[in-house]
Amino acid sequence: MQWLYLYFPSLQLDSLLHQQAYNQACVLVHKNEVVQTNPEARQLGIKIGTGLAQAALLCAQLKVIAYESKQEQRLLAQLAQRLYQTSATLYLDPPQGLLLQTSDMLRLYKGLAPYWQQLQQPLMERGLHYHYASAHSPLAAQVLARAGNDRLLTNQDEATRLLSQLPIHRAGLDHKLSLQLERLGLNTLGQAQALPRSALGQRLGQTLVTFLQQLETSSAPSWPAYQPPERFRQRLELLYEIEHSTALRFPLKRLLSDLEAFLAPRQLRVAGLSLGLEYQEHASERLHIGCSDGEYRAESWLALSMLRLEQLKLQAPIIAVSLKTKGQMPWAPLSAQLFEPPGGKLTAGQLISRLQSKLGDHAVQQVYLQDDHRPERSFYQGLPQSHYQSQQATRALRPSLLFTLPQALNHKPDHRWCILSGPERIQSGWWDNVSICRDYFIARNPIGQVCWLFRTPREEWFLHGYFS
């Protein structure tokens, strides 16, 4: 069984800096000690373990951010969710490590190199710095990756040789245990491996013996493998405070790309998104962004989101954004014409969604039919529903423009009018005391317009609409 370990020494800092170009020194600090640095800070001599006061002396313009272990664990889980599409079996090793079982995936990708190429793509998209190593056991891969090995090994003998050459202080052992081994003259891991295990256990304790045994054990870790959530939910902290809603395009694009990567393999779409905006010293705000037909593509959701955000006036600077889905449902592509290219057109649902995002949900109305023969009461207006919900329209020919109140004609249509069809008797409404009795005609008036006329029992004529 083969294993691959990915180690992200600056996961939280890389995720923050990737939001936009930042060319100044930046560090993450925990308990007044630097725990993560960017390349500009390292060029100035700021290293992991440097005190905050010393780092400030080395760079007066140093940007300092507080380290949050929970946030880094959330970022690790989000990365695992993205890599789950490429690797079926992986394990979280918080806060900065991922362990992947590669044996089964090599058969699918036909080799380690194509598999590794697929894994690298989401890592590069996020601008992450990482170390990696493959080995015959989970612990061996972890130790080599954390030591900065950065090699893909398929030969167990080669992995064993690299482990034996590893300095004891870089083997991942407890600092106190490493000092004890160095005082005994054991400077490399191979020297410790060559000694009898029983003697090492009596002298230094069972922890070291267990560690050496796990280096050779290829079995899976004791903790459960990662399982992706059933619904998408993600939060992104911002490096800078955003004061204009249009500046949310880049962080939103990143969240929506992850959403598409989550929905597409599952053949799912969502009817709406709940976008959370976290303000500086103000209560958070949530925006609902809907799509009539349901959608999964990041590009479509980004266009709808920006239409909604263009009209939003921010209460205060934004420090974080979150995204979760609403109305998750199966997705099936619409059947298209055989000889017609699919690009360049909007479906009815996409058009409705864009209008609602631009004008507001209640500003867009749809006409619905109802069971009533009276023309004035045969339809009503309401909020648009799913494009897939069809209605049975009447087979009779009806005008596209219907007057709210029929217009009385001053005189009976004469020879200048041309009756095209009719009469059509409509007599209805006796049950609600709004009864009608009309004979409808389709006629062309003297100026060529096609009209819808009706005649009452009193021989009164009215104009009720025009055909397009």
Side-chain angles (χ1 to χ4, degrees):
M1 191 175 292
Q2 286 292 318
W3 299 90
L4 174 66
Y5 192 89
L6 300 175
Y7 173 55
F8 307 94
S10 54
L11 179 58
Q12 182 180 346
L13 185 59
D14 290 343
S15 299
L16 289 171
L17 296 180
H18 183 59
Q19 296 171 22
Q20 60 187 71
Y22 190 78
N23 300 320
Q24 297 180 358
C26 183
V27 296
L28 255 62
V29 175
H30 180 62
K31 296 181 179 179
N32 292 326
E33 185 176 291
V34 175
V35 294
Q36 294 182 22
T37 61
N38 68 342
E40 289 76 13
R42 290 192 290 271
Q43 290 177 0
L44 297 174
I46 303 175
K47 303 178 181 179
I48 304 300
T50 303
L52 179 58
Q54 182 181 356
L57 290 175
L58 292 172
C59 179
Q61 303 298 325
L62 181 67
K63 184 173 182 62
V64 179
I65 304 174
Y67 171 74
E68 297 182 15
S69 60
K70 292 184 178 180
Q71 170 64 11
E72 195 161 50
Q73 292 180 26
R74 284 195 295 266
L75 291 170
L76 187 67
Q78 293 172 11
L79 182 59
Q81 180 177 309
R82 181 66 176 84
L83 294 181
Y84 187 77
Q85 302 172 43
T86 307
S87 190
T89 306
L90 55 88
Y91 297 82
L92 298 179
D93 188 20
Q96 297 173 330
L98 286 175
L99 177 67
L100 293 80
Q101 195 267 333
T102 63
S103 302
D104 297 335
M105 307 311 299
L106 298 185
R107 303 173 189 172
L108 175 63
Y109 290 97
K110 299 180 181 180
L112 185 58
Y115 171 63
W116 175 240
Q117 186 176 3
Q118 289 291 327
L119 279 176
Q120 283 182 301
Q121 183 177 354
L123 305 182
M124 292 186 294
E125 290 174 355
R126 286 165 167 76
L128 299 176
H129 297 85
Y130 57 92
H131 296 290
Y132 62 94
S134 63
H136 56 281
S137 74
L139 184 58
Q142 180 196 57
V143 170
L144 290 174
R146 289 181 177 270
N149 183 265
D150 294 341
R151 295 179 64 179
L152 298 175
L153 307 174
T154 57
N155 191 330
Q156 182 174 348
D157 295 336
E158 188 177 3
T160 303
R161 180 180 60 82
L162 292 174
L163 285 170
S164 64
Q165 298 173 356
L166 200 64
I168 201 69
H169 65 274
R170 300 183 63 188
L173 292 168
D174 181 76
H175 180 66
K176 182 179 179 181
L177 183 56
S178 298
L179 288 178
Q180 290 177 331
L181 289 170
E182 289 177 346
R183 288 170 184 171
L184 293 175
L186 304 176
N187 297 317
T188 64
L189 188 58
Q191 292 175 342
Q193 289 176 315
L195 296 177
R197 302 287 169 85
S198 59
L200 285 176
Q202 293 176 0
R203 185 74 179 267
L204 299 174
Q206 191 62 31
T207 302
L208 178 59
V209 175
T210 303
F211 177 82
L212 296 176
Q213 290 175 345
Q214 289 179 346
L215 284 176
E216 304 170 357
T217 303
S218 62
S219 58
S222 57
W223 64 91
Y226 170 79
Q227 293 294 328
E230 295 183 0
R231 295 188 175 274
F232 182 87
R233 186 170 187 172
Q234 202 167 113
R235 180 178 179 273
L236 181 63
E237 290 191 357
L238 304 176
L239 178 62
Y240 292 100
E241 296 179 353
I242 291 181
E243 298 181 354
H244 301 284
S245 58
T246 54
L248 288 170
R249 172 179 287 272
F250 186 81
L252 262 182
K253 186 177 181 180
R254 175 177 168 183
L255 290 174
L256 293 172
S257 296
D258 289 344
L259 173 65
E260 180 177 344
F262 177 84
L263 295 174
R266 296 166 172 82
Q267 292 190 339
L268 295 174
R269 57 190 169 96
V270 290
L273 298 179
S274 178
L275 176 63
L277 305 177
E278 299 181 21
Y279 295 107
Q280 181 73 29
E281 299 180 355
H282 279 75
S284 301
E285 182 180 4
R286 300 209 73 89
L287 300 178
H288 174 72
I289 304 168
C291 182
S292 179
D293 287 347
E295 186 57 81
Y296 75 96
R297 292 172 297 177
E299 182 181 359
S300 299
W301 278 119
L302 182 61
L304 293 175
S305 301
M306 295 312 298
L307 285 174
R308 184 67 182 272
L309 289 172
E310 285 174 359
Q311 309 169 34
L312 180 66
K313 185 176 181 181
L314 301 183
Q315 305 174 12
I318 298 176
I319 59 175
V321 292
S322 62
L323 192 69
K324 62 181 181 179
T325 59
K326 291 185 174 182
Q328 191 168 286
M329 65 191 82
W331 170 80
L334 294 174
S335 59
Q337 296 293 332
L338 180 61
F339 299 105
E340 182 179 353
K345 294 184 178 180
L346 290 177
T347 66
Q350 291 171 340
L351 177 60
I352 289 173
S353 300
R354 291 195 178 188
L355 290 174
Q356 286 179 326
S357 298
K358 185 70 175 178
L359 305 175
D361 292 341
H362 296 280
V364 182
Q365 300 286 318
Q366 182 172 346
V367 177
Y368 296 95
L369 300 177
Q370 60 184 358
D371 294 331
D372 199 317
H373 291 288
R374 291 168 292 185
E376 299 91 338
R377 303 196 177 201
S378 61
F379 65 92
Y380 67 96
Q381 294 181 355
L383 294 177
Q385 298 177 3
S386 173
H387 177 58
Y388 299 104
Q389 295 181 359
S390 60
Q391 301 182 64
Q392 293 292 331
T394 177
R395 294 184 178 181
L397 188 60
R398 294 291 182 261
S400 55
L401 176 59
L402 188 72
F403 297 148
T404 305
L405 295 175
Q407 298 179 3
L409 295 178
N410 295 328
H411 54 80
K412 176 183 177 180
D414 54 21
H415 66 277
R416 294 177 301 171
W417 289 71
C418 178
I419 303 298
L420 301 177
S421 67
E424 176 192 351
R425 172 64 61 91
I426 298 180
Q427 186 170 0
S428 181
W430 52 267
W431 58 87
D432 59 3
N433 296 322
V434 189
S435 61
I436 64 170
C437 180
R438 301 169 182 173
D439 291 330
Y440 277 89
F441 298 84
I442 298 177
R444 181 180 287 112
N445 64 12
I447 60 175
Q449 296 172 316
V450 181
C451 309
W452 203 37
L453 311 175
F454 71 83
R455 180 183 60 196
T456 66
R458 297 181 180 181
E459 295 295 328
E460 298 173 329
W461 288 82
F462 292 86
L463 176 63
H464 207 170
Y466 291 101
F467 290 89
S468 59

